[in-house]
Amino acid sequence: MQVQLLVAGFVSLFASLALGNPSCPNTLAFYNPNLRSACYNAIPKASVQSIVPYPLITPPFADKTLFPKGFPANTHPVVVSTGYQNDIRMMALQIPALLAGSIYVPFTDRLKDGKTPFNYGVQNYIGGVDGKEIEGVVPAVVGTAEGTKIFVGRFAPNNDAYAPIASNPNEFTAQVKQIILPNPISGPGIVPEAYDLDFISALAPLYTQKIFRAIINQPTILTNLLCQRNTYYFNETFAEPKLRSGNVTLFGPLAGSVPRALAGRYVKQGGYSASGEIVGYNPETCEDAASNVDPKAVQ
């Protein structure tokens, strides 16, 4: 089973990654009717390794087409993203739109061959739009059962990947929380912070679009010894890609739901926003997932 979505959002790559225009048409659905599709300061390497059960591959930091300003020594990239999944086309999932957020570690050596990169998911969140948070429950349960641990989340804004702040239309924010115990009747319940994003267009980008696309399209390691390809395409006229710069705040166990090793406020991080299309494939062996990555998606 494959699923297609249109995805718009913001990806922050730090030593942070965001996806773009929150609504766009799904042009892949016709060709993949039974797949999910929709239009969607550095951390020390030792801290990252402490939460990843596989070796880490050193990214090609010397490649100026990917990292024009290099990358801080003895650190490893971590990706934080938020996205609006619109125009969802999957016969078994009758939900028109969802909000999603993730924290993951790219360049993870799942095959232990020292060269084949994968994404290791640290935290994943999903929620309904326009206050319909309950619509995230079924996708979270199904995704977790299939190998991607997903929590139901509360997103701000609740109907876009991100939103401009009132005092500056050129500055954007997004916030993700984890819903542990909802209490819509008398109070907020137990809803710890996960992360906040605050960004603007980058005057001097830290990274290139090419590295963001390469990272986003690395296969994801699942909890059931399999892996999954979620292939993102940014080649439509509505993509509107932009390189960004901004701040990422990850809330640790004392104040939120993110592992302590990653908790902190990271300033002047590199990001990427765009509207893209995603085809999510069935779980497969990690060897197959790596060998079947579409080279057109990373161009």
Side-chain angles (χ1 to χ4, degrees):
M1 179 181 63
Q2 295 170 316
V3 184
Q4 293 175 215
L5 311 104
L6 277 181
V7 177
F10 173 78
V11 182
S12 161
L13 175 65
F14 63 99
S16 336
L17 186 192
L19 300 171
N21 185 340
S23 181
C24 48
N26 186 342
T27 62
L28 294 176
F30 178 80
Y31 304 101
N32 301 275
N34 296 313
L35 304 184
R36 172 173 53 90
S37 65
C39 181
Y40 186 139
N41 297 358
I43 300 178
K45 186 174 182 178
S47 296
V48 178
Q49 184 67 82
S50 72
I51 61 172
V52 179
Y54 301 98
L56 299 175
I57 298 171
T58 300
F61 295 139
D63 188 339
K64 298 302 182 182
T65 69
L66 305 176
F67 300 91
K69 299 181 182 298
F71 206 78
N74 301 315
T75 66
H76 191 85
V78 173
V79 174
V80 179
S81 69
T82 179
Y84 178 91
Q85 300 179 348
N86 181 55
D87 198 7
I88 299 174
R89 309 282 184 91
M90 183 179 179
M91 294 179 181
L93 184 62
Q94 301 299 314
I95 300 175
L98 289 167
L99 291 159
S102 298
I103 303 171
Y104 53 95
V105 178
F107 295 100
T108 297
D109 193 359
R110 171 64 179 81
L111 300 181
K112 298 183 179 180
D113 63 1
K115 62 181 181 180
T116 307
F118 290 80
N119 283 320
Y120 176 80
V122 178
Q123 301 280 66
N124 297 284
Y125 306 91
I126 197 164
V129 303
D130 297 325
K132 299 175 184 177
E133 295 167 346
I134 193 172
E135 290 187 347
V137 173
V138 171
V141 171
V142 173
T144 299
E146 293 183 346
T148 302
K149 189 175 182 180
I150 305 176
F151 301 102
V152 178
R154 177 173 295 169
F155 296 77
N158 192 233
N159 56 1
D160 278 348
Y162 50 83
I165 64 174
S167 60
N168 184 355
N170 297 313
E171 182 177 353
F172 304 90
T173 63
Q175 181 186 73
V176 180
K177 299 180 180 181
Q178 179 184 341
I179 299 177
I180 296 177
L181 182 63
N183 184 7
I185 297 176
S186 61
I190 302 176
V191 188
E193 303 273 2
Y195 55 86
D196 291 348
L197 301 171
D198 184 337
F199 59 94
I200 60 174
S201 293
L203 297 178
L206 295 175
Y207 318 116
T208 65
Q209 294 186 36
K210 185 177 179 180
I211 186 59
F212 282 110
R213 295 182 183 187
I215 286 175
I216 294 171
N217 284 289
Q218 291 178 11
T220 298
I221 301 169
L222 304 180
T223 60
N224 55 9
L225 303 181
L226 298 175
C227 290
Q228 185 174 33
R229 285 175 292 139
N230 289 300
T231 304
Y232 292 82
Y233 297 93
F234 299 95
N235 54 2
E236 296 285 1
T237 57
F238 52 70
E240 298 182 6
K242 291 182 176 61
L243 291 167
R244 306 289 194 174
S245 176
N247 304 327
V248 181
T249 303
L250 303 179
F251 296 90
L254 294 179
S257 59
V258 174
R260 188 184 307 276
L262 300 183
R265 178 171 172 79
Y266 304 90
V267 300
K268 297 182 180 179
Q269 302 305 308
Y272 177 66
S273 67
S275 292
E277 295 178 289
I278 173 179
V279 177
Y281 292 86
N282 282 338
E284 55 194 332
T285 68
C286 296
E287 291 83 356
D288 286 344
S291 63
N292 289 321
V293 171
D294 187 352
K296 295 180 181 180
V298 302
Q299 294 177 353

